[in-house]
């Protein structure tokens, strides 16, 4: 039997932050040798919020380069750009016509973003999870490694797959494979540095709320120095009234590779003045090799383009095959 297939993606909106890295990309890298992997830059999703046409292409390349810089290995994985494969848009339309609107109106992220975007709420924002379902189901993915905030979108993807198979296939021969979310226990939800009850997010207006993967050491030092803490002495994971403490200890644990028990013992008597430099140092040490590799990749544009061209070819063959099967099941005539 072949390897199970993995698909995941990140939007090219702004810089990637530690939440994207620890919640998603690091897990792609760690698991990649077990699977056949497809990682896309989801640039069609990026226009559901107002975007800048002058920077969209460059931002897309930046994310692809960061995938490589974080350790995506082309022996196991393909990297491609969502908009380069038109099957994503086409399958979205077909799924639109079997997806009840109220499923989409119930999505937590839609509700949150709709409030934030005010007058800019477009149909694409509502339809966003259907496009995500198309991304996943086109590749017949077994596993989808994501952060916890995408769990509901994965459930919707499964609902759409179920509905499609039920409407248009026999139980013995479903066209669409049921994907499973892969959500890590640790750092599945990295919280903001300025408010430990909110998730770290690209859309937070405060730069101080997040660490970007390309932040230089002095920016990291400043952000950690100014991040929100509390007045209690001794650091612990387990006090529900200390969300910032839990978040910062978790970041230290994951970045240092230590166990929870080791970190709990090491930090139990520390004050923030002692802990913050330790966290800063660990963060800088983790990000430095990623930043160096990123520069290397960005300096060789033709290499990056060849990676994306090859990724597209591999991905497109699978996507087109699924799309044909979907259309046949729905009763479409085949192109002549
Ligand atoms: P996006 O671009 O918002 O985020 C990319 C990945 O980062 C994870 N993530 C986090 N994890 C932990 N803590 C955080 N604070 C945090 N913030 C973000 C997200 O869970 C995600 O895994 N809809 C997706 C992109 C997408 C996709 C797909 C993902 C489109 N099609 C198909 C998987 C499969 C999104 O908005 O990601």
């Amino acid at each position: 039997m072949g390897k199970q297939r993995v698909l995941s993606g990140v939007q090219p909106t702004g810089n990637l932050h530690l939440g994207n890295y620890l919640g998603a990309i690091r897990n792609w890298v760690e698991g990649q040798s077990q699977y056949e992997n497809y990682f896309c830059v989801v640039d069609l999703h990026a226009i559901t919020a107002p975007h800048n046409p002058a920077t969209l292409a460059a931002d897309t390349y930046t994310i692809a380069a960061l995938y490589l810089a974080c350790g995506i290995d082309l022996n196991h994985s393909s990297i491609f750009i969502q908009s380069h494969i038109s099957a994503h848009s086409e399958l979205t339309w077909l799924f639109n016509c079997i997806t009840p609107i109220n499923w989409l109106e119930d999505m937590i992220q839609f509700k949150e973003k709709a409030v934030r975007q005010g007058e800019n709420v477009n149909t694409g924002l509502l339809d966003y999870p259907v496009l995500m379902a198309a991304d996943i189901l086109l590749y017949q993915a077994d596993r989808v490694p994501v952060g916890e905030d995408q769990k509901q979108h994965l459930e919707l993807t499964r609902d759409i797959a179920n509905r499609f198979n039920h409407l248009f296939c026999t139980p013995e021969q479903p066209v669409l494979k049921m994907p499973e979310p892969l959500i890590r226990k640790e750092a599945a939800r990295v919280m903001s540095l300025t408010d430990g009850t909110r998730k770290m997010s690209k859309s937070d207006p405060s730069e101080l709320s997040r660490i970007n993967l390309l932040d230089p050491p002095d920016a990291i030092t400043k952000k950690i120095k100014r991040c929100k803490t509390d007045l209690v002495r001794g650091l612990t994971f387990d006090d529900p009234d200390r969300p910032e403490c839990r978040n910062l200890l978790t970041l230290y644990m994951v970045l240092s590779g230590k166990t929870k028990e080791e970190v709990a013992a090491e930090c139990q008597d520390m004050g923030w003045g002692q802990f913050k430099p330790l966290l800063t140092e660990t963060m800088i040490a983790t990000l430095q090799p990623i930043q160096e590799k990123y520069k290397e990749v960005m300096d060789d544009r033709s290499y990056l383009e060849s990676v994306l061209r090859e990724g597209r070819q591999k991905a497109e063959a699978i996507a087109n095959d699924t799309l044909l099967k979907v259309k046949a099941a729905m009763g479409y005539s085949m192109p002549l």
Side-chain angles (χ1 to χ4, degrees), residues 31-70:
Q32 67 186 327
S33 62
Q34 294 171 54
Y35 301 107
E36 175 196 345
N37 308 277
Y38 294 85
F39 299 119
C40 55
V41 183
V42 293
D43 55 347
L44 294 170
H45 280 102
I47 64 164
T48 55
H51 81 287
N52 182 354
T55 57
L56 180 62
D59 289 345
T60 303
Y61 275 89
T62 292
I63 303 295
L66 275 171
Y67 287 180
L68 290 168
C70 289

Side-chain angles (χ1 to χ4, degrees), residues 10 13-27 63 66 70 146-149 184 186-193 199-203 207-215 219-221 223-224 227 247-256 275 278-288 290-291:
V10 170
T13 31
N15 215 320
L16 287 195
H17 54 65
L18 262 188
N20 300 128
Y21 178 62
L22 297 178
I25 300 173
R26 188 185 58 123
N27 303 332
I63 303 295
L66 275 171
C70 289
V146 284
E148 201 195 59
D149 62 339
R184 278 274 197 96
E186 266 87 40
R189 194 173 173 83
V190 174
M191 308 311 275
S192 154
L193 296 182
K199 91 177 171 183
M200 187 177 283
S201 155
K202 291 174 195 161
S203 54
E207 266 297 320
L208 289 175
S209 69
R210 62 185 158 262
I211 302 283
N212 298 313
L213 294 194
L214 297 176
D215 277 348
I220 296 175
T221 307
K223 288 177 181 179
I224 298 296
C227 75
N247 188 43
L248 296 173
L249 283 187
T250 304
L251 286 178
Y252 177 56
M253 173 182 80
V254 185
L255 294 171
S256 66
F275 176 75
L278 190 64
L279 177 61
T280 305
E281 211 178 285
T282 312
M283 227 173 242
I284 292 173
T286 306
L287 296 186
Q288 200 175 26
I290 295 177
Q291 296 178 356

Side-chain angles (χ1 to χ4, degrees), residues 33-168:
S33 62
Q34 294 171 54
Y35 301 107
E36 175 196 345
N37 308 277
Y38 294 85
F39 299 119
C40 55
V41 183
V42 293
D43 55 347
L44 294 170
H45 280 102
I47 64 164
T48 55
H51 81 287
N52 182 354
T55 57
L56 180 62
D59 289 345
T60 303
Y61 275 89
T62 292
I63 303 295
L66 275 171
Y67 287 180
L68 290 168
C70 289
I72 294 301
D73 176 351
L74 300 172
N75 290 312
H76 303 294
S77 308
S78 301
I79 300 175
F80 66 96
I81 296 174
Q82 184 191 36
S83 69
H84 291 182
I85 300 182
S86 57
H88 290 249
S89 307
E90 191 171 349
L91 186 60
T92 301
W93 175 255
L94 301 175
F95 283 167
N96 277 340
C97 298
I98 62 159
T99 306
I101 287 186
N102 68 323
W103 287 9
L104 302 178
E105 287 167 338
D106 283 347
M107 293 291 112
I108 298 164
Q109 279 212 345
F110 170 70
K111 290 188 215 169
E112 287 173 358
K113 288 185 184 173
V115 170
R116 231 176 13 236
Q117 287 182 212
E119 286 178 13
N120 278 319
V121 177
N122 54 59
T123 310
L125 190 68
L126 180 68
D127 206 28
Y128 178 112
V130 180
L131 176 58
M132 181 163 161
D135 296 340
I136 296 167
L137 299 174
L138 268 180
Y139 297 91
Q140 307 282 5
D142 299 279
R143 303 273 178 147
V144 185
V146 284
E148 201 195 59
D149 62 339
Q150 296 301 315
K151 196 166 170 219
Q152 198 186 28
H153 290 160
L154 258 296
E155 279 158 16
L156 182 96
T157 299
R158 290 169 58 88
D159 287 342
I160 291 175
N162 252 325
R163 193 170 173 98
F164 182 91
N165 287 338
H166 177 73
L167 285 172
F168 302 116

